[in-house]
Amino acid sequence: MSLRSASHRLASVAKWQLNATLAQNQTTAKRFGMALVAGASTSRRSLNIASRPSDLVGNTPLIDLNKILVNHGVDVSNGTRLVGKLESLGPCSSVKDRIGRSMIDDAEEKGLIIPGKTTLVEPTSGNTGIALAFIARERGYRCILTMPETMSIERRMMLLSLGCEVVLTPKETAVPGALAKAHEILDELGPGNGYMLQQFENEANPKVHRETTGPEIWRDTDGSVDIFVSGIGTGGTISGVSQYIKGSEKYNMPPLKPELKTVAVEPREQMLITEAKGGVRGDNQGPHRIQGMGAGLVPKILDLDVIDEVIPVNSDDAQTMASELWMIGLPVGVSAGAIVNAAVQVCARPESAGKMAVAVIPSFGERYFTHPMFDSIKAKAEGLAKQPLPEPFDNTEYGFATPRG
């Protein structure tokens, strides 16, 4: 694709984002009885202040991860580069912030949901639920979320703190069990009272990645991205980003770089995407510890055609890599560990020499402190003991046996 065409597409995206922001500001102004006048206050620099939390979604930064490549013996002197797309820096700290806003915006625009009347019901592995929860709270919706019992206590606490109702389902049934429970709740609410956004089927999911995430990666790498590595949760991120960069006739997306290599990552313990692409599932298929991917189904919105390779990563390797990322000062969840593990494998290949890989960092690590990967850290933290203070403090006043401890 020509530079002129690429520039035109980026300009179109920027125009869409500007129009969306103006529309949001008009809505906010009406809500508070104010009026926005075109061209007003042009005599001074405009203030960069978001009007509501969901306006902070998107425009996450990229970060260089070559230190990880070097630590794994990958030669970076030839220009090979690994960068992370820090979706962990969204307002509620995950890539799902994007689809939470997109799906609710879309349903509101279509008149399918009404604040204060409609109850949102959704099966979720956690982060989509948090995204829906903060926007539901922002806009006045009741929100009921179903999720497998394996989801971390931190995620549950986030949801409850945002006013959501949480319903846990058996871990053995994964997301399909949570989906069945959500349908039951929807039926109990009665016709017209509840609405399921259906993240695994909702076209507003990949759409937001075609309109925002993909353009951001293209813009911030100056079109230099050669390899895109993403986990498969709902399939929205990998589908939308790849459709934007590779091009898609279905969505009227002319190709920017059709040769982009798209790598999907899934748990080795649950190789459904591998199977869907014609591969063979491995042994010991079942529950895994990589929260946020491997939902136990092949999502309807997943565009299998854009995927060039599927790399399965086992839970132990994902945890190890997540710990390595923490050790370079980047707090991430175990799904980021799986994705970066796969990205390192790809970057280590001779055919990747001199190429740039972008790996999605889906969520922030503090949300996973009760995950097994933190068991030893938790034990160490709980085993810490207070230390005596120097003179002139009398440490007997603080529970020590002698003045000096």
Side-chain angles (χ1 to χ4, degrees):
M1 184 179 184
S2 69
L3 179 60
R4 181 178 180 181
S5 298
S7 298
H8 176 72
R9 276 183 60 186
L10 288 175
S12 297
V13 171
K15 183 178 180 181
W16 175 86
Q17 292 174 329
L18 175 60
N19 288 338
T21 301
L22 289 174
Q24 291 158 7
N25 289 341
Q26 290 286 359
T27 300
T28 302
K30 289 179 181 178
R31 185 174 299 170
F32 290 95
M34 300 182 293
L36 293 181
V37 180
S41 300
T42 56
S43 60
R44 68 174 186 174
R45 183 174 60 86
S46 60
L47 301 179
N48 185 19
I49 301 174
S51 62
R52 56 185 183 174
S54 62
D55 291 341
L56 298 171
V57 173
N59 281 309
T60 56
L62 297 177
I63 186 169
D64 188 282
L65 296 178
N66 267 20
K67 182 179 289 187
I68 295 292
L69 292 183
V70 172
N71 290 346
H72 285 262
V74 178
D75 182 10
V76 298
S77 65
N78 55 19
T80 303
R81 192 169 191 185
L82 174 60
V83 298
K85 176 68 168 164
L86 287 182
E87 292 299 288
S88 53
L89 294 185
C92 270
S93 305
S94 91
V95 66
K96 303 301 185 182
D97 292 352
R98 294 182 190 259
I99 70 169
R101 172 177 168 175
S102 180
M103 294 191 299
I104 289 178
D105 282 349
D106 180 70
E108 287 182 338
E109 290 168 5
K110 293 175 179 176
L112 300 173
I113 58 176
I114 301 172
K117 177 182 177 181
T118 310
T119 297
L120 302 180
V121 182
E122 186 73 13
T124 171
S125 63
N127 282 326
T128 298
I130 291 170
L132 294 176
F134 93 84
I135 298 174
R137 181 56 47 198
E138 170 190 278
R139 302 187 189 181
Y141 293 97
R142 179 189 178 196
C143 189
I144 303 175
L145 302 171
T146 63
M147 65 180 65
E149 61 182 321
T150 52
M151 295 304 106
S152 68
I153 193 70
E154 290 87 355
R155 293 195 192 192
R156 303 181 204 178
M157 291 176 67
M158 280 281 292
L159 295 170
L160 293 171
S161 297
L162 287 165
C164 270
E165 299 165 50
V166 178
V167 179
L168 299 181
T169 55
K171 63 183 179 182
E172 292 81 4
T173 61
V175 170
L179 179 60
K181 189 65 179 179
H183 278 294
E184 180 185 61
I185 293 170
L186 205 60
D187 291 340
E188 292 173 352
L189 289 171
N193 295 320
Y195 186 78
M196 189 183 298
L197 293 160
Q198 301 189 75
Q199 59 175 319
F200 294 95
E201 303 178 15
N202 196 319
E203 280 296 327
N205 179 342
K207 179 174 180 284
V208 75
H209 295 293
R210 289 193 298 272
E211 293 178 342
T212 64
T213 321
E216 289 169 25
I217 290 173
W218 186 257
R219 176 196 69 202
D220 293 345
T221 63
D222 196 25
S224 297
V225 55
D226 300 298
I227 303 163
F228 179 61
V229 188
S230 176
I232 303 292
T234 64
T237 305
I238 198 166
S239 299
V241 170
S242 298
Q243 288 162 354
Y244 176 80
I245 297 176
K246 289 186 170 187
S248 170
E249 290 186 8
K250 179 179 179 180
Y251 298 106
N252 195 29
M253 291 276 165
L256 293 172
K257 183 176 279 189
E259 68 273 22
L260 175 79
K261 181 180 178 65
T262 296
V263 179
V265 184
E266 67 177 346
R268 183 172 291 279
E269 298 92 332
Q270 198 171 103
M271 296 169 60
L272 294 180
I273 310 304
T274 296
E275 185 177 57
K277 289 287 290 181
V280 179
R281 297 170 68 177
D283 297 330
N284 301 317
Q285 297 291 288
H288 60 87
R289 300 189 303 279
I290 308 177
Q291 294 186 13
M293 64 172 66
L297 51 80
V298 178
K300 290 185 178 180
I301 60 169
L302 174 62
D303 186 350
L304 289 168
D305 291 337
V306 301
I307 297 174
D308 299 299
E309 181 180 2
V310 183
I311 295 182
V313 176
N314 68 48
S315 296
D316 288 339
D317 290 341
Q319 289 179 196
T320 298
M321 181 59 77
S323 296
E324 288 187 39
L325 290 165
W326 276 79
M327 288 298 99
I328 65 168
L330 194 61
V332 301
V334 68
S335 61
I339 293 167
V340 174
N341 176 287
V344 170
Q345 293 182 48
V346 175
C347 288
R349 298 170 183 169
E351 62 268 26
S352 298
K355 293 184 177 180
M356 176 187 290
V358 174
V360 176
I361 306 297
S363 57
F364 193 68
E366 195 175 22
R367 192 164 291 169
Y368 303 90
F369 277 158
T370 54
H371 188 280
M373 70 175 283
F374 290 104
D375 283 351
S376 62
I377 297 293
K378 181 182 177 183
K380 183 177 181 179
E382 291 175 341
L384 292 174
K386 64 183 177 183
Q387 299 298 309
L389 300 175
E391 292 182 339
F393 294 96
D394 181 354
N395 287 290
T396 59
E397 297 178 7
Y398 315 124
F400 290 93
T402 68
R404 299 277 54 80

